[in-house]
Amino acid sequence: MISNTTPRLWTPGFSSLGCVDLDLLQMFSLAKEFSIRHIELRAIENQMDLPTYFSKRFTTLEHAKEFILAAGVKIVSLGTSFRWIQAPEGGREDFLRFCSLANSLDIPYVRVFGGSAWGIPLTDEDYQLAVHEYQWWEIEREKNDWKVQAITETHDAFSASQPLIHLMGRLGKGIPILWDTHHTWKYGEESLSTTWKALKEFIVHIHFKDSISPPSPHFPFTYVVPGAGEFPIQDLQSILNQNTYQGTVSLEWERKWHPYLPELRIALEAAQKKAWF
């Protein structure tokens, strides 16, 4: 647990995956209840097509922007299903809709997956496709004069540091990374310190969650509330504080995909006891 004298520069947040049935105002209210200043959106009122949701919910995007500013809670990311490898048909057009929305609302990031699947070695063709898609995105971003950035999550075949390092080598540049600490620890079997040392200069956003080894209906592990499982949560706290990390650290409570989980409030209360909030 973080001591009272330890400076914490990172900002706690949560993902709407844990409360997809709530509307935007209810999400903001829940965040304020726990003194959380950042949230990331994946679904609202059980709708995952966020551009359509905002167009129906608000008369204009400027109205939506004013509504968010008045709430005093910052939306730091929109979650998309776009992948650099094996992007779904029509995925580019849909992804650009999310990017346009995020940019209009001053949301700094849109989340992207690397693609493919963990445990299947990436081929040269896979990396070529990822490079091609990333360069396409950069052209679109420049053409539209967008400030929003695409952040690549440590997910799928990129659930460890080495595939991302190799991809950046192919690109000839670093890219913004969303470090899902549970994925690199559980799937990639990397210690948190190993992943941090490899990717620290590229990490702009972090997910955390906890689990135990017995399998759940669809995964070889079972998620539990923060602090009740095997994830080395105190190690993560120490790494972030010792390295003065200043980004968002978001509880990704995946109740949308794992309905056996209790409501988000219970997970937030557990995280609060571990001095995350």
Side-chain angles (χ1 to χ4, degrees):
M1 182 178 294
I2 301 174
S3 70
N4 292 332
T5 58
T6 303
R8 184 184 71 190
L9 299 180
W10 44 270
T11 303
F14 67 75
S15 167
S16 68
L17 272 179
C19 54
V20 298
D21 56 319
L22 301 185
D23 63 28
L24 201 54
L25 184 59
Q26 290 170 322
M27 289 181 189
F28 289 154
S29 296
L30 181 61
K32 289 180 178 180
E33 183 180 336
F34 287 88
S35 300
I36 292 171
R37 303 198 307 274
H38 289 180
I39 64 174
E40 53 182 286
L41 296 183
R42 185 69 173 98
I44 309 173
E45 295 186 77
N46 295 303
Q47 298 180 53
M48 302 188 75
D49 185 346
L50 298 179
T52 296
Y53 175 86
F54 273 88
S55 68
K56 291 181 177 179
R57 171 65 176 79
F58 298 94
T59 54
T60 66
L61 288 182
E62 189 61 33
H63 176 211
K65 187 175 176 179
E66 291 171 358
F67 178 85
I68 295 167
L69 285 172
V73 178
K74 184 176 182 179
I75 300 174
V76 293
S77 175
L78 296 184
T80 80
S81 298
F82 191 73
R83 301 184 290 273
W84 301 130
I85 302 172
Q86 300 172 337
E89 185 176 352
R92 280 186 171 187
E93 292 76 13
D94 193 50
F95 176 58
L96 293 180
R97 292 171 60 239
F98 276 77
C99 294
S100 179
L101 174 63
N103 198 76
S104 296
L105 298 179
D106 291 337
I107 298 171
Y109 303 123
V110 287
R111 190 280 314 280
V112 175
F113 295 130
S116 194
W118 180 251
I120 302 175
L122 291 170
T123 65
D124 183 68
E125 183 180 0
D126 289 330
Y127 282 111
Q128 287 181 12
L129 179 57
V131 168
H132 178 74
E133 290 297 293
Y134 196 90
Q135 290 175 338
W136 161 80
W137 149 246
E138 288 185 313
I139 292 170
E140 290 294 325
R141 181 173 184 257
E142 182 176 357
K143 182 174 69 176
N144 289 284
D145 194 27
W146 285 334
K147 293 181 180 179
V148 64
Q149 296 187 70
I151 51 175
T152 304
E153 184 171 348
T154 55
H155 195 277
D156 303 325
F158 294 85
S159 296
S161 56
Q162 195 53 46
L164 283 162
I165 293 295
H166 188 79
L167 174 59
M168 288 187 283
R170 290 289 193 100
L171 285 165
K173 61 187 294 183
I175 62 174
I177 290 174
L178 189 169
W179 180 23
D180 187 305
T181 56
H182 186 273
H183 287 163
T184 56
W185 167 75
K186 194 68 175 179
Y187 289 113
E189 298 183 335
E190 292 183 342
S191 69
L192 298 180
S193 60
T194 295
T195 310
W196 174 259
K197 289 175 183 177
L199 300 177
K200 61 182 178 181
E201 62 185 294
F202 312 110
I203 295 170
V204 298
H205 189 91
I206 291 174
H207 282 168
F208 81 97
K209 45 207 168 194
D210 203 349
S211 69
I212 54 177
S213 294
S216 58
H218 302 292
F219 285 85
F221 54 81
T222 300
Y223 286 124
V224 294
V225 297
E230 300 161 6
F231 179 78
I233 192 168
Q234 292 185 353
D235 290 350
L236 179 59
Q237 290 172 319
S238 296
I239 288 170
L240 300 183
N241 285 314
Q242 290 170 9
N243 291 276
T244 61
Y245 175 74
Q246 297 184 42
T248 304
V249 182
S250 181
L251 172 63
E252 191 184 34
W253 191 241
E254 298 186 354
R255 195 170 186 230
K256 165 72 174 176
W257 313 128
H258 305 273
Y260 63 84
L261 291 173
E263 65 178 29
L264 177 59
R265 179 184 302 277
I266 293 175
L268 291 174
E269 290 171 349
Q272 191 174 54
K273 291 178 181 177
K274 291 295 178 180
W276 278 95
F277 308 138

